[in-house]
């Protein structure tokens, strides 16, 4: 399984971006798809996750109410809509696929290559 993340860029505070993560193979209903991010000098941190077969979602407190994770089953793609971006959202964003409902990075088996999001003040 390969995951291809895209959609990052340089934006100003308050702007929006939508990240995409396309899977090379069909994503099974039991899968959990997640977004993580890693800022320079910091550990990778959980952002959001969703179970592929349901509308269940979970968000980090720092992004709740601003970010929305969604999926398109027909396209095997998961999205992260990011609104009201802040400079502290600057990081490399990674998508990941696992089978457990968890925010722990080591529980995810497949990772995308990352896409840079930079938010200027």
């Amino acid at each position: 399984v390969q995951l291809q993340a895209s959609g990052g860029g340089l934006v100003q505070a308050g702007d929006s971006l939508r990240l995409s993560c396309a899977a090379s193979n069909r994503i099974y209903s039991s899968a959990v798809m997640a977004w993580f991010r890693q800022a320079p000098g910091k550990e990778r941190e959980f952002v959001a996750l969703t179970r592929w077969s349901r509308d269940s979602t979970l968000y980090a407190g720092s992004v709740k109410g601003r970010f929305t994770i969604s999926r398109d089953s027909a396209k095997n793609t998961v999205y992260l809509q990011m609104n009201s971006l802040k400079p502290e959202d600057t990081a490399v964003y990674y998508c990941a696929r696992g089978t457990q409902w968890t925010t722990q990075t080591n529980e995810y088996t497949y990772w995308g290559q990352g896409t840079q999001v930079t938010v200027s003040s």
Side-chain angles (χ1 to χ4, degrees):
V1 174
Q2 291 184 332
L3 302 175
Q4 182 72 37
S6 61
L10 172 62
V11 297
Q12 293 185 333
D15 285 350
S16 298
L17 275 177
R18 189 178 78 157
L19 306 183
S20 300
C21 176
S24 60
N25 299 88
R26 175 192 168 194
I27 300 175
Y28 290 94
S29 60
S30 60
V32 173
M33 299 298 295
W35 288 96
F36 291 81
R37 66 186 182 186
Q38 188 167 17
K42 295 187 177 181
E43 293 187 353
R44 193 169 298 188
E45 66 174 6
F46 166 75
V47 175
L49 64 82
T50 185
R51 189 170 292 280
W52 194 251
S53 61
R54 304 176 184 175
D55 289 333
S56 302
T57 57
L58 183 67
Y59 296 93
S62 59
V63 307
K64 194 171 185 179
R66 300 188 297 123
F67 291 11
T68 303
I69 187 170
S70 62
R71 68 204 187 282
D72 185 330
S73 301
K75 296 182 178 180
N76 287 325
T77 299
V78 63
Y79 302 98
L80 185 69
Q81 177 66 42
M82 305 185 295
N83 298 330
S84 301
L85 283 162
K86 303 175 181 180
E88 51 263 45
D89 294 319
T90 295
V92 177
Y93 283 71
Y94 298 89
C95 59
R97 197 197 90 171
T99 58
Q100 301 300 314
W101 185 264
T102 178
T103 63
Q104 301 302 306
T105 57
N106 59 359
E107 295 290 342
Y108 288 83
T109 305
Y110 301 102
W111 290 82
Q113 84 287 4
T115 184
Q116 176 71 47
V117 172
T118 303
V119 184
S120 63
S121 57

